[in-house]
Amino acid sequence: LSSQKKFDEIKKANQAAAKKLVEDQFSSSSEDDDEDAEVKQGKILAKTFTIYTSQTDGDASELERTRQYMNEAFQSGAMTCLICIASVKRNQAVWSCCGCFCIFHLVCIQKWAKDSLFLVSSLTDDDFGKKDYPWPCPKCRFEYKRSETPSRYYCYCGKVENPTLDPWLVPHSCGQICEREFKPSCGHKCLLLCHPGPCPPCPKMVTTTCHCKKAKPVPRRCSAKEWSCRLPCGRTLLCGQHTCENSCHAGDCQPCPRVSKQRCICGRQTAERLCASPQWQCDQECGKPLPCGNHTCEQVCHAGPCGDCPRSGKRSCPCEKSKFTLPCTEDVPTCGDSCDKVLECGIHKCSQRCHRGPCEICRQEVEKQCRCGKHTKRMPCHKPYLCETKCTKTRDCQKHQCRRKCCSGNCPPCDQICGRTLGCRNHKCPSGCHRGSCNPCPETVDVKCNCGRTVIKVPCGRERTIKPPKCKQLCSRPPTCHHATQEKHYCHFGRCPPCRQPCRKMLACGHLCPVSCHDEALVKQTGLHQSAGPWEQPSEPAFIQTALPCPPCEVPIPVECLGQHEVSPLPCHSAEPYSCKRFCGRLLDCQNHTCMKECHHVTKLNSCAAGNKVGLECSQCEEECTKPRPSGCPHRCVLPCHPGDCPSCLQMLKIKCHCKLSILYIECLKLTCADLKEKELLISCKNQCPKELPCGHRCKEVCHSGSCPLNCSQKVKLRCLCKRLKKEIQCSKIQEGQVSLECDALCKEMKRKAAEIKEAEAKAAIEEEKRRQQAELEAFENRLKGRRKNKRRKDEVEVEQSSWQKYKNLIMLPMFGVAVVMV
C-alpha cells in the first residue's frame, strides 16, 4: 500500500509538470516580460528626467516631445535608418541630424554624403570636385558642409566618443548631463541626461518684467520669460497722434487702425485713409509749369520740386553722333549721317541714315552654322538656323539620350520620371531620372495591433519585419470554453491563452469542480503512427485541443476511523471509514492492558461495555500480572493478569545484617509492611558493630545501619612534648582538640641541660678532628723528606727531596680548588 501511494504521488507530480510545460510552450501571452521591460524603461526615463523635473517641481509636461524620441529609442524596431531601411540597434554606430533629429547608421550617412557630393559635382564638368558643395539630410534636407561629414561615432550630446553599451541608459547615450545650449539661446544649458531628439524648453527660473515694462519683475521660467500684464500698451504709434490700445504685447506695435482725412502728396485730392499710411499718391499728373515756361510737369503726383525741363540744354540726334543746343520748343533734327547702331544680331550695324525710332531687323545674308555645328547654310542674319539632326548624347541620368533637335551639347536635365522601385518595395521613385541610388521612400505606414487601437508609424517597407506594437487594451474575443467571460488579458495575435478560471462544473457528488478550466487542454497524441523500422525518423509529437473530464472530487470531508480514534479530512471521492494504523487501545477485561490490534471495526459490544470499551473483535489478555509490588518485595505475583490488588507475599527473604557479617531470614510481608525503625531492628544481628572508627578503636554500638558515631569513649594516654608527663583522657576529646598537656618548669630545665651537653660534645669532636688532621700532615711531611739527585755533575752531592716537596703541588692544587668551591 505504501509503495502504491508513493507511485501515485510521483505520477501526479509528473503530470502537473508536463501540463505546466505544455502551457508555457503554447501560451501566446508574454505580459510578465512586457511588464518587466516597461518597469525597466520607466526607471531609465525617470533617471534621465530627474535633474530637469527637480527644477520644475516634478512638472514633466514640456518633455512630451523628448519622451517620444526616447520611447522610439527603446521600442524594438521603431528606430529605423531611412537609408538602408533597417533597424538601428543598441550596439551600432549612429549619427543624428541636428535639424530633424532623425538617427541613421554612421556608415549609411557617410555613403549618403559621399554619393550626394559626387552627384552634385558631376553636373558641372569644369568645377568637378573643386567647389565645396553641401550635402542634405535624407529626411529634412537640412544642408551640411563637406567638412561636416561625420567620421566618428559620438553620443547624442557629443561629449563621449564610442559610448559604451549600458542596459540601464538610453541607447547610444553616455549617461552624462547633456549641457547643450537651448535654441533659441538663453544663456542656459540642457539639464537632461544625454538624450535623443530636441532639448526641452529651459526650466530655469529668471526674474523678468512684462513687454511694456510697466509691471513689477516676477520670477518665471526662462522658456516662458516673456509675459503680458494685460494692461493697455500706451506707446505712441508711428502716426504720432494716437497711442497703442492693445494689451501689453511683444515686438513693435501694430499700425494705427484709425481712419482720418489725409491729402495726397501733391495736395490736390483729400480722402479718408488709415492713419498708419498718411502719405499717398493720386493718379493725376503734376501739371505744374516747368521753369522754361513752355511745358508742364508730366510726373504723377509727387513731392518736392518738379525739376528742370527735360528738353533744355544740349541734346543729341537719334544716332547720338551730333549734339545741338536748341530751345525746348524745337525738336532735335537728324544729322544725315549713317545710323551705325549695332543691330539685334550683334554682328552688323544699321546702314540707314540717322533716324528716329528703332532700327530695322538685319536682312544681310550670311553663311550660318546650326546650333549643333554639323550643318551650314546661307540665310538672312536675323533668322536662326536649326537643323533636323537629333542629339545622341546621354543626359545627366546616364540612361536616356537627349534626342533634342540640333542640340548645342549642353543637354538639358532628363525630363523623364525615374520610376524605379524604392527600397520599401511598395512605391516607385517619383523624382526625375537621376544617377545613383534613389532617395528613401518618404511615405510612412501604420502598423497596428490585432484590435487596431494601438498604432505606430514606421517607414514604408518596415511593416513586414517590424513587430506589432504592444497594446494595453483588453482582448475582446468571446470565450471558447463554457465560461461566460474569459480572463482579462491584453490584445494579442494568434490564439488566446488557455483559460485559467476555475471549472465550477457540478460533479456527481454535488460539489463544484475547483481545478482550472480544462475545456481546451492540449493533449499529446500517441499511437497514431507506427514506424516502419529503425531507419524511419521519429516524428514530432502532435498535440490536439480537447476537453478533459473533471478530475475526482478533492473536497475534504471529515471521516472517522474504524476504531473511532480520530477524524481526518479525506477527498470526497475516497471518503469512507479507514484504519488509522494505530493500536486499538481499548481496555481489556483484565483492566490492566489494552488491545494491541491495529485499528479495527467493533461490531458487537459486551452487555456491560459502553463507550470506549473492549469488543468481541479485540484480543484476549494472556500476559502475567505486571502490577507493581510493595516497596522492597522482589517477588512476582503468583496469579495471572487480574483485576484488583495482588495477594500478600508469604515468601522468606534471605538478607545480610547491617554489618554484613550475619545472614538473616525474614518474612517478606513483615519487611515490606514495617516502618523505618522496625526495619532497622529486623535487619540488625544484635552483635557489636565490627567497624573501626577514624581514631583506630572499634565501634561500641550494636549492629546498625549508616555510619558509626564519632564520639569514641575509650580512655587513652596523653603525654607532653618531652614525654615526661602523661595523663589518661577520653579519645573523642583528643580528636576534637579540646585537651592538651603542656611541659612544666622541670621539663624546661632538663631540656636546657641536655642542649648544653650536646653543644660541648660537638665542640670536643671538632677539636679532636683538628688534632687528627695535624698529625696526618706531619706524618706526610716526614715521608716526603729524602736526598737530591745529581743531574749534571757526578761529583756533586745528591740532595734527596722530601715527600712534601715532591707532592705538595699535587696536594695543594686540589685543596685550593675545594676551598674556592666552598667559598
Side-chain angles (χ1 to χ4, degrees):
L1 291 176
S2 61
S3 61
Q4 181 65 28
K5 185 177 180 181
K6 187 178 293 185
F7 175 77
D8 294 340
E9 291 177 356
I10 297 175
K11 182 179 178 182
K12 288 182 181 179
N14 290 339
Q15 290 177 352
K19 183 178 179 181
K20 183 178 180 182
L21 179 62
V22 171
E23 290 178 355
D24 294 343
Q25 183 176 0
F26 289 90
S27 175
S28 62
S29 176
S30 60
E31 298 173 5
D32 295 339
D33 297 340
D34 295 346
E35 290 179 0
D36 294 342
E38 288 182 0
V39 171
K40 184 177 180 180
Q41 178 178 343
K43 289 181 178 178
I44 296 175
L45 290 178
K47 182 180 178 182
T48 305
F49 298 151
T50 298
I51 303 178
Y52 185 91
T53 53
S54 64
Q55 296 283 337
T56 59
D57 296 332
D59 182 15
S61 58
E62 301 291 344
L63 295 173
E64 292 304 322
R65 189 179 177 192
T66 307
R67 192 191 301 274
Q68 181 181 358
Y69 280 92
M70 289 193 180
N71 288 332
E72 291 181 358
F74 280 109
Q75 193 168 0
S76 176
M79 189 184 293
T80 306
C81 177
L82 296 180
I83 300 175
C84 64
I85 316 299
S87 297
V88 178
K89 299 181 179 179
R90 286 173 170 265
N91 55 352
Q92 294 176 334
V94 298
W95 175 82
S96 176
C97 175
C98 62
C100 61
F101 305 101
C102 187
I103 295 177
F104 305 90
H105 291 123
L106 183 62
V107 178
C108 295
I109 198 64
Q110 289 174 345
K111 185 177 184 299
W112 173 270
K114 183 179 179 181
D115 293 346
S116 300
L117 293 173
F118 178 81
L119 182 61
V120 174
S121 300
S122 63
L123 296 177
T124 55
D125 298 332
D126 296 339
D127 298 330
F128 179 76
K130 296 181 179 179
K131 293 185 178 180
D132 189 8
Y133 294 102
W135 56 272
C137 169
K139 184 177 181 181
C140 65
R141 300 298 171 180
F142 185 85
E143 291 187 349
Y144 294 90
K145 297 180 181 178
R146 182 193 296 268
S147 60
E148 294 177 347
T149 303
S151 60
R152 296 182 181 181
Y153 168 40
Y154 289 94
C155 62
Y156 297 114
C157 64
K159 293 180 181 178
V160 179
E161 182 180 355
N162 297 324
T164 57
L165 178 62
D166 191 341
W168 285 100
L169 291 177
V170 179
H172 314 292
S173 170
C174 63
Q176 302 179 22
I177 298 178
C178 178
E179 292 186 349
R180 286 184 288 183
E181 291 188 358
F182 289 108
K183 294 181 180 180
S185 179
C186 63
H188 302 129
K189 296 183 179 180
C190 180
L191 300 177
L192 296 183
L193 299 186
C194 183
H195 62 91
C199 296
C202 181
K204 292 283 187 179
M205 298 296 293
V206 295
T207 302
T208 179
T209 184
C210 62
H211 300 295
C212 64
K213 312 297 182 182
K214 293 181 180 179
K216 294 182 179 180
V218 294
R220 291 181 62 86
R221 303 267 180 226
C222 182
S223 57
K225 60 184 177 181
E226 295 183 356
W227 62 284
S228 173
C229 63
R230 303 301 179 185
L231 297 175
C233 177
R235 284 184 285 184
T236 303
L237 299 178
L238 295 177
C239 65
Q241 299 177 3
H242 307 103
T243 57
C244 180
E245 297 178 355
N246 295 332
S247 60
C248 178
H249 59 85
D252 296 334
C253 296
Q254 295 181 357
C256 184
R258 297 187 181 185
V259 177
S260 60
K261 290 184 178 182
Q262 299 175 4
R263 290 182 177 272
C264 65
I265 297 176
C266 65
R268 292 183 179 182
Q269 294 184 4
T270 303
E272 288 187 352
R273 295 182 58 84
L274 291 174
C275 196
S277 56
Q279 293 184 356
W280 62 285
Q281 286 180 324
C282 60
D283 55 354
Q284 296 182 4
E285 291 184 357
C286 178
K288 292 180 180 181
L290 296 177
C292 64
N294 299 320
H295 301 95
T296 58
C297 181
E298 297 178 354
Q299 297 181 20
V300 182
C301 177
H302 64 86
C306 296
D308 296 334
C309 180
R311 297 170 63 91
S312 62
K314 288 185 177 182
R315 287 180 289 171
S316 300
C317 63
C319 67
E320 297 182 353
K321 291 182 179 179
S322 302
K323 292 184 178 181
F324 300 92
T325 303
L326 296 174
C328 63
T329 55
E330 296 182 7
D331 293 332
V332 178
T334 58
C335 63
D337 197 355
S338 60
C339 179
D340 287 340
K341 289 182 180 179
V342 179
L343 299 177
E344 292 181 356
C345 65
I347 301 174
H348 304 102
K349 295 182 179 180
C350 180
S351 59
Q352 295 180 359
R353 291 186 180 278
C354 179
H355 60 87
R356 293 183 176 90
C359 299
E360 294 183 353
I361 58 176
C362 185
R363 300 183 182 275
Q364 295 187 22
E365 286 191 358
V366 294
E367 188 172 348
K368 275 197 170 184
Q369 192 174 19
C370 66
R371 188 167 53 185
C372 63
K374 294 182 179 180
H375 304 280
T376 58
K377 184 180 179 181
R378 289 193 66 82
M379 57 186 304
C381 184
H382 71 276
K383 291 184 178 180
Y385 176 40
L386 299 177
C387 67
E388 297 296 325
T389 305
K390 294 183 178 180
C391 180
T392 59
K393 286 186 179 181
T394 304
R395 295 192 179 186
D396 58 351
C397 64
Q398 300 296 322
K399 294 181 181 179
H400 304 104
Q401 289 183 346
C402 177
R403 307 301 295 169
R404 189 175 63 162
K405 289 183 179 180
C406 194
C407 180
S408 61
N410 187 14
C411 301
C414 186
D415 56 356
Q416 298 188 31
I417 302 300
C418 176
R420 286 185 292 180
T421 303
L422 298 177
C424 64
R425 305 298 180 187
N426 296 328
H427 303 94
K428 293 185 177 181
C429 181
S431 304
C433 190
H434 58 84
R435 287 194 303 173
S437 58
C438 300
N439 293 339
C441 181
E443 302 292 333
T444 58
V445 181
D446 292 343
V447 178
K448 301 181 179 180
C449 65
N450 188 37
C451 67
R453 297 183 184 179
T454 305
V455 181
I456 60 173
K457 291 185 178 294
V458 297
C460 182
R462 287 286 294 166
E463 68 275 4
R464 293 184 292 271
T465 57
I466 196 158
K467 294 181 180 178
K470 298 173 183 177
C471 181
K472 290 302 180 181
Q473 301 293 331
L474 296 178
C475 180
S476 59
R477 297 180 184 177
T480 56
C481 59
H482 67 277
H483 292 100
T485 58
Q486 63 176 349
E487 284 185 308
K488 292 182 180 181
H489 59 279
Y490 294 136
C491 169
H492 61 90
F493 290 93
R495 189 168 50 191
C496 290
C499 180
R500 301 181 186 276
Q501 302 180 67
C503 179
R504 310 300 292 173
K505 288 183 179 179
M506 185 67 71
L507 301 176
C509 61
H511 297 113
L512 298 178
C513 181
V515 299
S516 299
C517 181
H518 44 80
D519 288 349
E520 296 178 342
L522 293 174
V523 180
K524 181 180 178 182
Q525 287 183 314
T526 57
L528 296 179
H529 176 72
Q530 297 292 334
S531 58
W535 57 85
E536 185 175 356
Q537 295 293 333
S539 60
E540 294 291 333
F543 291 88
I544 60 173
Q545 196 173 24
T546 182
L548 298 178
C550 294
C553 183
E554 298 289 340
V555 177
I557 294 180
V559 179
E560 192 176 23
C561 67
L562 295 172
Q564 301 178 356
H565 301 111
E566 64 178 20
V567 176
S568 298
L570 295 181
C572 181
H573 70 277
S574 61
E576 57 184 10
Y578 65 98
S579 174
C580 64
K581 306 301 180 182
R582 300 180 185 175
F583 294 117
C584 177
R586 297 178 183 273
L587 189 62
L588 300 179
D589 294 334
C590 65
Q591 303 297 317
N592 297 323
H593 301 95
T594 56
C595 179
M596 300 303 292
K597 286 186 177 181
E598 188 179 315
C599 178
H600 58 87
H601 180 64
V602 179
T603 55
K604 295 180 181 180
L605 298 175
N606 293 335
S607 58
C608 61
N612 194 19
K613 296 295 182 181
V614 68
L616 297 177
E617 290 81 3
C618 295
S619 60
Q620 300 295 328
C621 182
E622 298 178 354
E623 298 184 7
E624 298 178 353
C625 179
T626 57
K627 291 183 178 180
R629 304 297 291 166
S631 179
C633 180
H635 308 107
R636 297 174 59 185
C637 182
V638 296
L639 300 177
C641 188
H642 60 88
D645 298 333
C646 297
S648 301
C649 183
L650 301 177
Q651 296 187 33
M652 300 296 290
L653 286 175
K654 180 181 179 182
I655 60 176
K656 291 185 178 182
C657 63
H658 297 301
C659 58
K660 310 298 181 184
L661 297 178
S662 300
I663 297 176
L664 305 177
Y665 292 91
I666 307 172
E667 291 182 4
C668 184
L669 180 61
K670 290 183 179 180
L671 189 61
T672 54
C673 296
D675 57 4
L676 293 177
K677 290 184 179 181
E678 292 177 352
K679 282 184 180 180
E680 184 77 18
L681 294 174
L682 288 173
I683 300 176
S684 177
C685 62
K686 307 298 188 293
N687 296 323
Q688 185 182 356
C689 179
K691 295 179 182 179
E692 191 174 288
L693 298 177
C695 61
H697 303 113
R698 183 177 177 182
C699 182
K700 300 295 183 178
E701 299 291 333
V702 181
C703 180
H704 60 88
S705 61
S707 59
C708 298
L710 299 179
N711 53 349
C712 180
S713 59
Q714 191 170 347
K715 300 291 184 177
V716 294
K717 292 181 179 181
L718 180 63
R719 293 180 178 272
C720 66
L721 295 177
C722 63
K723 307 298 182 182
R724 187 180 71 82
L725 300 178
K726 60 181 179 178
K727 183 180 180 182
E728 287 188 358
I729 303 175
Q730 193 175 353
C731 181
S732 59
K733 294 183 178 180
I734 296 177
Q735 296 297 327
E736 294 174 358
Q738 297 178 358
V739 180
S740 62
L741 188 59
E742 300 293 338
C743 294
D744 54 1
L746 182 58
C747 292
K748 294 180 180 180
E749 183 64 26
M750 293 178 65
K751 282 183 181 180
R752 186 181 60 78
K753 291 182 178 181
E756 292 178 354
I757 293 172
K758 193 173 183 180
E759 185 179 356
E761 290 177 356
K763 289 182 178 180
I766 292 172
E767 293 293 336
E768 183 64 27
E769 181 65 23
K770 289 181 178 180
R771 286 195 299 270
R772 185 182 62 79
Q773 290 179 358
Q774 184 66 28
E776 288 180 357
L777 181 59
E778 292 178 356
F780 182 72
E781 290 177 353
N782 294 330
R783 285 195 300 271
L784 291 177
K785 291 179 179 181
R787 297 180 179 180
R788 296 181 179 178
K789 292 181 179 181
N790 187 6
K791 293 181 180 178
R792 297 180 180 178
R793 297 179 180 179
K794 294 181 179 182
D795 55 351
E796 289 183 359
V797 178
E798 294 182 0
V799 177
E800 185 178 357
Q801 293 181 349
S802 63
S803 298
W804 169 251
Q805 292 176 346
K806 291 180 180 180
Y807 303 106
K808 65 178 179 179
N809 291 334
L810 296 176
I811 294 172
M812 293 301 292
L813 287 175
M815 289 180 68
F816 181 75
V818 172
V820 170
V821 171
M822 290 177 68
V823 171

